Amino acid sequence: MADENERPGTAMSVDQEGDDEAPPPPAPHEAGRGPSERRARVTLPPPEEDHGPTFYRIGIDYTYEPEDTEFIVQCGRIKKLENLEGGVNLKNLTLIASCIEKIENLDSNVNLEHLELYQNLLKKVDNISHLTKLTNLDLSFNKIRSCESLGSCQFENLERLYLSSNKISDIEGVFHFKKLTLLEFGSNRIRAIPLELGQLVNLQQLWLGKNRITSFSIPPLPALRHLSLQNNRLEVWEPSFFQNVSGLTHLYLGHNNLPDLPDEFSLLTELKEVDLAKNVITLVRPFPKLKNLEELWMNDNQITDLTEVQNLASYPALRTIYLERNPMHGLGDEASEARYKDAILQAVPHLFQLDAVRLGSKIKIISDGTETRVKGIRKR
């Protein structure tokens, strides 16, 4: 008989242990009946071999008709110039932002007048000497290191040549293009302007910004109207510069290290727009002979005396002025900024724009009233 203090369950288990053997452990699940065995098995296909990026082909992915005079593709992932034999009537071949590594297979395209391979992977200028009808050649944003090979190209009708954003160290091979009106060599590695450039008597625009040029030495260019030497290493004015390019209407010299303007600056009587921003200029010099000057950019210089702005009155055609972030601006001080604005407007009362702000402009809103019926989003 079990003790009164013992729990019935405990006593019963002892009695059972004495009489019967312990039951065997449960049998394992039969194959295919357990939870893990009932799950569907997914067999993945073998991974496909990666062959790199996909490129597209002219004549297969990008087609043209034999009578077409233009073939233009942008961002086309084209790696090779090919299958253009049937394009004998093409006058314009433009392939922008592709992956072309070499100029080739253009033997049949002798009627081309416009060839634009902007933003590709070209390293050389070759295989184009037979394209004698070209008037526009654009090889900007490539990896070209030299343009010397252009010296063998007899492009008698070439008017515009773009070679910006390459790795070119010298301007060469271009001096025999007598009809050239625009020459673009910005964002390269050029250190000097060659005297041979004077052979381009019809040149109207010369873009040499963002190079490594240290001197204003430039040959006489009587037809030149636009000149950019922004972002170079200019520190000294040269009097001969103003005589050799006296016909300029647009002059861009920002982001150099130039001091105050010399007296010879008054020779540029045709100027309409001049950029002198981000230099070390301390004075606003008056040049009454510059009667056509409409835009003057002299922001981010070292002008400390606010009375200097009185000299702006010597430019009767002035419409736009940038003088912000000079010490006399007093940026961040409301009273100083107000004096700055008042002084400039007193000197140039007909001013249209001061820095980035258009003066006296009004915004006229034209509406039929339907916007008042638009329901907003309300929280429930």
Side-chain angles (χ1 to χ4, degrees):
M1 185 174 179
D3 193 287
E4 292 181 356
N5 294 326
E6 288 183 1
R7 288 175 296 173
T10 304
M12 188 176 294
S13 62
V14 172
D15 293 341
Q16 288 177 350
E17 184 177 358
D19 298 338
D20 302 316
E21 294 182 2
H29 291 289
E30 297 182 13
R33 294 186 181 180
S36 61
E37 298 293 338
R38 290 197 297 269
R39 294 188 187 130
R41 292 176 177 255
V42 178
T43 304
L44 297 175
E48 296 183 3
E49 185 177 354
D50 185 4
H51 296 285
T54 300
F55 295 103
Y56 299 100
R57 301 181 64 185
I58 299 173
I60 298 175
D61 302 295
Y62 297 107
T63 60
Y64 61 91
E65 300 298 329
E67 64 272 13
D68 288 347
T69 59
E70 291 186 344
F71 185 68
I72 301 174
V73 180
Q74 296 190 32
C75 304
R77 298 193 63 82
I78 298 171
K79 190 173 184 179
K80 185 177 182 179
L81 287 174
E82 59 180 342
N83 301 324
L84 288 165
E85 297 83 1
V88 294
N89 293 315
L90 287 178
K91 293 184 178 181
N92 181 346
L93 177 59
T94 298
L95 303 172
I96 297 174
S98 270
C99 309
I100 298 169
E101 299 177 348
K102 183 179 180 181
I103 304 176
E104 57 185 340
N105 300 323
L106 299 178
D107 298 338
S108 302
N109 310 111
V110 294
N111 290 313
L112 281 177
E113 298 176 4
H114 183 111
L115 178 59
E116 187 170 352
L117 300 176
Y118 176 101
Q119 196 176 344
N120 279 279
L121 302 174
L122 300 174
K123 294 183 179 180
K124 293 182 179 181
V125 183
D126 50 8
N127 301 322
I128 60 171
S129 60
H130 62 290
L131 304 177
T132 57
K133 294 184 179 181
L134 282 179
T135 61
N136 188 99
L137 177 60
D138 190 346
L139 302 177
S140 300
F141 287 85
N142 280 281
K143 299 182 178 182
I144 299 168
R145 294 183 178 273
S146 172
C147 57
E148 184 181 7
S149 59
L150 286 172
S152 62
C153 300
Q154 301 304 314
F155 298 153
E156 296 182 358
N157 299 312
L158 191 64
E159 298 177 1
R160 296 171 297 277
L161 176 59
Y162 302 88
L163 286 164
S164 62
S165 298
N166 279 285
K167 301 179 180 181
I168 299 172
S169 300
D170 299 292
I171 300 176
E172 54 188 345
V174 301
F175 311 121
H176 60 296
F177 300 141
K178 302 300 182 184
K179 290 189 177 181
L180 208 61
T181 61
L182 184 151
L183 185 59
E184 165 70 276
F185 271 96
S187 298
N188 276 286
R189 302 173 179 180
I190 296 166
R191 296 181 179 274
I193 304 173
L195 295 178
E196 293 88 343
L197 208 63
Q199 299 175 30
L200 303 177
V201 295
N202 293 305
L203 193 63
Q204 298 177 14
Q205 298 186 43
L206 178 58
W207 303 91
L208 298 173
K210 205 172 181 182
N211 276 286
R212 304 172 184 179
I213 298 171
T214 59
S215 171
F216 271 110
S217 179
I218 189 171
L221 293 167
L224 197 64
R225 298 295 178 263
H226 292 69
L227 174 61
S228 173
L229 289 167
Q230 294 171 315
N231 283 278
N232 274 282
R233 301 176 181 179
L234 299 170
E235 297 183 348
V236 180
W237 297 102
E238 295 185 25
S240 61
F241 168 80
F242 302 98
Q243 297 172 353
N244 293 339
V245 292
S246 59
L248 286 176
T249 59
H250 295 71
L251 176 61
Y252 306 103
L253 299 173
H255 295 261
N256 281 284
N257 198 34
L258 291 168
D260 292 326
L261 305 182
D263 294 339
E264 290 82 1
F265 202 88
S266 63
L267 297 175
L268 303 179
T269 57
E270 302 299 321
L271 271 184
K272 294 182 179 180
E273 185 173 296
V274 60
D275 173 17
L276 298 166
K278 202 92 183 215
N279 281 285
V280 290
I281 296 171
T282 62
L283 304 173
V284 179
R285 294 203 58 186
F287 294 105
K289 292 183 179 180
L290 274 60
K291 297 180 180 181
N292 300 313
L293 187 64
E294 298 176 0
E295 296 201 19
L296 175 61
W297 308 342
M298 293 183 70
N299 53 284
D300 298 281
N301 274 282
Q302 301 298 322
I303 304 169
T304 58
D305 189 353
L306 186 57
T307 61
E308 285 294 320
V309 303
Q310 297 174 6
N311 293 324
L312 295 172
S314 65
Y315 306 112
L318 204 57
R319 299 280 288 160
T320 299
I321 298 173
Y322 281 85
L323 280 169
E324 59 187 345
R325 292 187 297 276
N326 276 279
M328 54 86 174
H329 181 198
L331 184 63
D333 186 305
E334 290 187 10
S336 296
E337 289 189 28
R339 288 193 297 269
Y340 160 84
K341 181 178 179 180
D342 291 342
I344 293 175
L345 291 180
Q346 185 175 357
V348 193
H350 54 271
L351 198 63
F352 176 71
Q353 180 173 328
L354 174 58
D355 299 323
V357 180
R358 290 190 175 183
L359 306 175
S361 60
K362 296 181 180 179
I363 299 175
K364 184 178 181 181
I365 299 176
I366 301 175
S367 170
D368 60 359
T370 55
E371 75 280 357
T372 60
R373 297 196 294 269
V374 177
K375 295 182 178 180
I377 299 175
R378 298 179 181 179
K379 294 182 179 179
R380 293 183 177 181

